[in-house]
Amino acid sequence: MLPDLAGAISALSHAGVRFVAIGGIAVAAHRVIRATEDLDLVPDPARESIDALANVLVALCARLLRNPEREVDAEVRTALHRSRNLTVTTSRGDIDIVQRLPGVPSFAILATDAWEATIFDVPFLVCSRAHLIAMKRARGSALDQADLERLLDPGH
Amino acid sequence: MPAEPSDPDEAAREADEARRLRAHRDAALTPAERLARVHELCRQLAGIRPVARHKR
């Protein structure tokens, strides 16, 4: 099954989930295209937004990547409300929900200077280039380093 | 999944584990399937258009 990034973003937006995209989607929005398999997002921790997020995950038949037998059940919902991260496989592709990760700012901070973007006319928010660069510097994996070099390249 | 929030180091380890699990899963694809996947993903990513700085 091929990921449907616009479909995943559309499902989240239409359900009222507030989030800022980070990771490969945000990198692409800043004009650095590389293959990414998942939608990385930092959600608004407000109760109603997390509830809406959990509802969308259920609607998209989400399963935990670490345990494909496991659905988004009550315990997983509670974990989301407690600011846990979650990586799921859905009918629209993988979604990484990031709520606490070293170097990743909170939703409130990311939303302050986020950029509006569209994917096939579906609107969503992406983190600023400055925050993206700071996150890449903090993580420092080989992939992050490659992204960083291109994000810092004035030609991009 | 533990009920309590993880510490930052554990969260980083979980992120790395997710990346490994995804790579392991995708290793089952044939080269042709992998190429088709990358092609489709890049097509979708090329459909992203930055619009403007968000006004809160």
Short mmCIF file of all heavy atoms in Angstrom, two decimals, chain A residues 111-112 114 116 125, chain B residues 52-56:
data_model
loop_
_atom_site.label_atom_id
_atom_site.label_comp_id
_atom_site.label_asym_id
_atom_site.label_seq_id
_atom_site.Cartn_x
_atom_site.Cartn_y
_atom_site.Cartn_z
N ALA A 111 3.72 26.64 16.42
CA ALA A 111 2.59 27.29 15.74
C ALA A 111 2.80 28.79 15.62
O ALA A 111 2.24 29.44 14.74
CB ALA A 111 1.29 26.99 16.48
N THR A 112 3.61 29.36 16.52
CA THR A 112 3.81 30.81 16.54
C THR A 112 4.35 31.32 15.21
O THR A 112 3.91 32.36 14.71
CB THR A 112 4.78 31.19 17.67
OG1 THR A 112 4.21 30.76 18.90
CG2 THR A 112 5.00 32.69 17.73
N ALA A 114 4.75 29.20 12.38
CA ALA A 114 4.54 28.17 11.36
C ALA A 114 4.15 28.80 10.03
O ALA A 114 3.70 29.95 9.98
CB ALA A 114 3.45 27.21 11.82
N GLU A 116 1.87 28.37 6.45
CA GLU A 116 0.75 27.66 5.84
C GLU A 116 1.23 27.05 4.53
O GLU A 116 1.96 27.69 3.78
CB GLU A 116 -0.41 28.60 5.58
CG GLU A 116 -1.05 29.12 6.85
CD GLU A 116 -2.17 30.11 6.58
OE1 GLU A 116 -2.44 30.39 5.41
OE2 GLU A 116 -2.74 30.61 7.55
N LEU A 125 -0.37 23.29 8.35
CA LEU A 125 0.71 24.12 8.87
C LEU A 125 2.01 23.32 8.88
O LEU A 125 2.01 22.14 9.24
CB LEU A 125 0.41 24.58 10.30
CG LEU A 125 -0.74 25.56 10.52
CD1 LEU A 125 -0.84 25.93 12.01
CD2 LEU A 125 -0.55 26.81 9.68
N ALA B 52 2.16 30.90 2.96
CA ALA B 52 2.52 32.13 3.66
C ALA B 52 2.74 31.82 5.12
O ALA B 52 2.36 30.77 5.61
CB ALA B 52 1.39 33.14 3.53
N ARG B 53 3.37 32.77 5.78
CA ARG B 53 3.55 32.61 7.22
C ARG B 53 2.18 32.62 7.89
O ARG B 53 1.31 33.42 7.53
CB ARG B 53 4.43 33.73 7.80
CG ARG B 53 4.91 33.48 9.21
CD ARG B 53 5.85 34.57 9.63
NE ARG B 53 7.10 34.56 8.90
CZ ARG B 53 8.14 33.78 9.22
NH1 ARG B 53 8.07 32.96 10.23
NH2 ARG B 53 9.24 33.82 8.51
N HIS B 54 1.98 31.72 8.82
CA HIS B 54 0.69 31.58 9.48
C HIS B 54 0.43 32.78 10.38
O HIS B 54 1.32 33.22 11.11
CB HIS B 54 0.72 30.30 10.32
CG HIS B 54 -0.52 30.04 11.09
ND1 HIS B 54 -1.77 30.04 10.51
CD2 HIS B 54 -0.72 29.76 12.40
CE1 HIS B 54 -2.68 29.75 11.44
NE2 HIS B 54 -2.07 29.59 12.57
N LYS B 55 -0.77 33.32 10.32
CA LYS B 55 -1.17 34.42 11.21
C LYS B 55 -2.01 33.83 12.33
O LYS B 55 -3.08 33.29 12.08
CB LYS B 55 -2.00 35.46 10.45
CG LYS B 55 -1.25 36.07 9.27
CD LYS B 55 -0.25 37.11 9.75
CE LYS B 55 0.28 37.93 8.60
NZ LYS B 55 0.98 37.20 7.58
N ARG B 56 -1.53 33.96 13.56
CA ARG B 56 -2.30 33.41 14.69
C ARG B 56 -3.35 34.39 15.16
O ARG B 56 -3.14 35.57 15.16
CB ARG B 56 -1.37 33.08 15.85
CG ARG B 56 -0.42 31.97 15.51
CD ARG B 56 0.11 31.35 16.77
NE ARG B 56 -0.93 30.47 17.34
CZ ARG B 56 -0.85 29.96 18.58
NH1 ARG B 56 0.14 30.25 19.35
NH2 ARG B 56 -1.79 29.16 19.02
#
